[in-house]
Amino acid sequence: MERTLLHDLSKAPVGPASHLIDGLSQAASDGGTMDVISPLNGTRLTTMARGTVEDAEAAIAAARAAFDDGRWSGLAPAARKKILLKWADLIEAKAQELAVLGVRDNGTEIAMALKAEPLSAAGTIRYFAEAIDKIYGEIAPTAPGTLGLVHKEPVGVVGAIVPWNFPLMIGAWKLGPALAAGCTVVLKPAETASLTLLEIAKLALDAGLPPGVLNVVTGEGAVVGATIAESNAVDALVFTGSGATGRRLLEASARSNFKRVYLELGGKSPNVVFADAPDLDEAAKVSAYGIFRNSGQVCVAGSRLLVERSIHDAFVEKLKQVAETMVVGDPLNPETSAGAINSEAQLEQNLRFVAEARAAGRQIVTGGERILQETGGYYMAPTIVAGVSPEDAIAQEEVFGPVLAVIPFDSEDEAVAIANGTDFGLAAAVWTADLSRAHRMVRRIKAGVVHVNTYGGADVTVPLGGVKQSGNGHDKSLHAFDKFFDLKTAWIKL
Ligand code: ADP
């Protein structure tokens, strides 16, 4: 991005944010607001509406009415496609502005944010828009005297509750297929990353999305999110966030109308490096970026490094060198490779995990501390902890920070046992030059995605979803539509 533009955008005043309900910007019903604190310097960026139960109910009612009167689901799929493609174009046209606003709100480094946020969101929306007029129902292979038709119908009103890391990317994973399928949506962004989602929702109106089809309510999860989860007028919930919240959503569904609940709940992803990895320098570099980019605030981050014992010390040394040369700091500097921690609370949680490991005698190879405190922002040095036992909290729980737990192993079986030895199953990687071993490991590791001789990287064409306590259902790829269609059979006597 051109530097003067970046500078201007990073200083631009940000006005107070309101909900978007039924096509209108609306303040909270009781006038309440909450401060939006920038993690770059700890100062107030702006304020946003602190949603009330009434606000969430108004948004749900708007989405319900918009679904039930067919203003969106009743359009030809090709007509929905046209509007969604226009929306993607408008997002792309404002990509730089959106990326900088997002960075100021949530702290992701700008080089990554531009690609991973507005541009990724536009690409995702386009993918699902383009697909929607190419999806057919079925004719069942019944006996000649009957005709069995299987219709795919939009599920109805979708509640989408999304997190603060990559709000546009993850938001688009939900909004793209939901809206393309003909559903209407009530979106609840995270407290610390709402601004860009509100902006793109306004662009959807400009693109011709009818009012009430996409509603956004900001505020606290326990108020706004909980009201959506408990509502009998919401037909499905799609969520990315913590396991604790996921459990509450399932409980709320059980207490209310059994709405379908799809959860993407993070992980403790194993990155397994065998001594025969084709290029250990490359493996160290990619592994370091696989945990430290966006300061580890990535659900698929490779937060457990399993290294074959014969190369353990040399490999950890290589990693240390990469970690120590990464540029950590102001995420609006294009050279930065790891930006801010999203909030002070998250930073404190990261440091608690490290303190516990240190107290247990684990080796802090590098990092372990808050840095750049003089900026007022929330920054942490890339942290490598070695000598970790697979049972340690730092090897079992999702830190969601720039903290890598290193565990040695001696055999393939042991690597598999450690890799599968957590409650999670989201992502993984295996580094080896042995083709058979690579395929064996892909099959044996319980995870939604297993990378081979790389870490991270995927696109909208492949599904992302967890197994075990990493969740259920899939974002991305045509499989993402499954969450938003109901199957209806027409059984016809001929
Ligand atoms: P994270 O650890 O990523 O912040 P959370 O699960 O706390 O994960 O937050 C993810 C999303 O869930 C946010 O939009 C948040 O506001 C929302 N949320 C938090 N608590 C609840 C709740 N009790 N009910 C519904 N949504 C919630």
Side-chain angles (χ1 to χ4, degrees), residues 161-164 188-191 219-222 225-226 229 239-242 245 248-249 346 400:
I161 302 177
V162 298
W164 45 258
K188 155 71 181 86
E191 290 83 332
E220 288 164 25
F239 172 72
T240 298
S242 66
T245 303
R248 286 198 190 97
L249 300 184
Q346 181 65 45
F400 222 62

Side-chain angles (χ1 to χ4, degrees), residues 337-373:
S337 36
I341 305 297
N342 178 253
S343 66
E344 198 162 16
Q346 181 65 45
L347 173 64
E348 282 164 7
Q349 179 178 305
N350 298 347
L351 294 171
R352 270 197 302 275
F353 273 102
V354 178
E356 195 182 317
R358 191 178 269 136
R362 308 309 178 219
Q363 185 200 348
I364 313 299
V365 176
T366 185
E369 276 125 34
R370 179 177 185 172
I371 55 171
L372 301 171
Q373 201 152 352

